[in-house]
Amino acid sequence: MRNTRRRTAILISGRGSNMASLIAAAKHPEYPAEIALVLSNRPEAAGLDYAREHHIATAAVDHKIYAGRENFEAVLQRMLEMHRIDLICLAGFMRLLTGSFTQRWQGRMLNIHPALLPSYKGLHTHERALADGVKIHGCTVHYVVPEMDSGPIIAQAAVPVLDTDDAGSLGVRVLEQEHIIYPRALGLVADERVKIENNRVVGACTHVEHTPLVVPGFDEEEDG
Ligand code: GAR
């Protein structure tokens, strides 16, 4: 374990339930990341209030007032530098980032996506999974690369799709899993327990709903 906690920024656009799960994990003194900044591109994002209540520095960088993505991202970058950020977690951050921004943060920026990538990139993942009749759905934490919803996979969780599911009920169960795997994935990255080999993350974490979470190395150590 590293002896300094990695300073992490969480980027949100909305309610921030994944952000809350990361904040909760980082309250543990041995967690290898601290949440140093919550930043939203929407000043009205509910997640900002939550972060303030938890005494975390917040910033709103309203994308609408900047002409072009580069200008918006230049302000973002300045904020991240001001707060001496090491790692970024995108958590429901609904702005596409340019190739140059993602390249700058490559290996240091994570995203959570509500599907088992590489299936169902983009929006409306639960509706599309139901329309296709898949029987297993889930969520993915991955490193961010310039191509949307791609990049080496750090953690995945699977949930069965039930006959009775609609997008709402399926989404609720997937979100529960998001809240489990995102803190684990950030922990693995912050603790430098994973490495990328040929686009594959070695030491990644998998979870299937209702079974114990599997994190190579991590749980073995915790158990004994
Ligand atoms: C989450 O389900 C997250 O996976 C998804 O947005 C939701 C944000 O919820 N992200 C994406 O769709 C990104 N492609 P939250 O604000 O409660 O964390």
Side-chain angles (χ1 to χ4, degrees):
M1 151 128 186
R2 296 168 51 93
N3 50 14
T4 53
R5 305 174 82 202
R6 308 301 299 281
R7 292 179 62 79
T8 303
I10 307 175
L11 271 52
I12 62 168
S13 296
R15 70 187 159 183
S17 71
N18 276 292
M19 171 208 70
S21 76
L22 294 170
I23 290 173
K27 288 214 158 104
H28 193 289
E30 298 203 344
Y31 192 72
E34 67 171 296
I35 309 306
L37 176 67
V38 170
L39 192 150
S40 175
N41 65 311
R42 294 187 187 280
E44 72 284 4
L48 286 175
D49 294 330
Y50 182 94
R52 280 184 211 112
E53 282 158 21
H54 287 76
H55 312 290
I56 293 167
T58 60
V61 182
D62 187 348
H63 64 274
K64 292 197 289 295
I65 65 175
Y66 297 97
R69 285 184 200 278
E70 283 79 8
N71 293 332
F72 166 67
E73 288 174 2
V75 180
L76 220 62
Q77 179 62 28
R78 219 172 305 138
M79 289 288 180
L80 297 166
E81 283 167 11
M82 248 170 66
H83 289 269
R84 292 174 287 110
I85 296 303
D86 302 309
L87 297 171
I88 298 176
C89 287
L90 305 181
F93 183 70
M94 304 312 262
R95 288 301 288 168
L96 285 178
L97 295 164
T98 62
S100 67
F101 187 87
T102 51
Q103 262 153 17
R104 186 193 281 243
W105 285 92
Q106 200 143 317
R108 297 182 296 145
M109 178 156 62
L110 283 56
N111 180 44
I112 187 146
H113 182 72
L116 289 173
L117 292 173
S119 295
Y120 306 115
K121 298 177 180 184
L123 299 174
H124 310 301
T125 55
H126 309 316
E127 287 83 348
R128 287 156 57 211
L130 285 168
D132 285 344
V134 300
K135 298 300 173 212
I136 304 280
H137 187 45
C139 50
T140 303
V141 180
H142 62 98
Y143 285 108
V144 178
V145 295
E147 194 190 331
M148 187 189 74
D149 297 332
S150 301
I153 291 170
I154 306 160
Q156 283 191 312
V159 303
V161 179
L162 309 177
D163 291 347
T164 50
D165 268 330
D166 58 18
S169 62
L170 183 56
V172 166
R173 295 206 317 286
V174 170
L175 191 64
E176 272 171 25
Q177 298 301 311
E178 295 184 34
H179 297 163
I180 295 171
I181 63 168
Y182 211 175
R184 279 308 181 111
L186 173 61
L188 289 172
V189 170
D191 221 4
E192 296 173 354
R193 288 185 184 234
V194 284
K195 57 177 188 258
I196 305 171
E197 284 176 6
N198 299 324
N199 202 39
R200 229 171 124 174
V201 175
V202 179
C205 152
T206 54
H207 189 220
V208 178
E209 194 183 25
H210 305 313
T211 64
L213 182 70
V214 179
V215 186
F218 228 102
D219 292 328
E220 286 155 29
E221 227 171 74
E222 277 172 8
D223 291 348

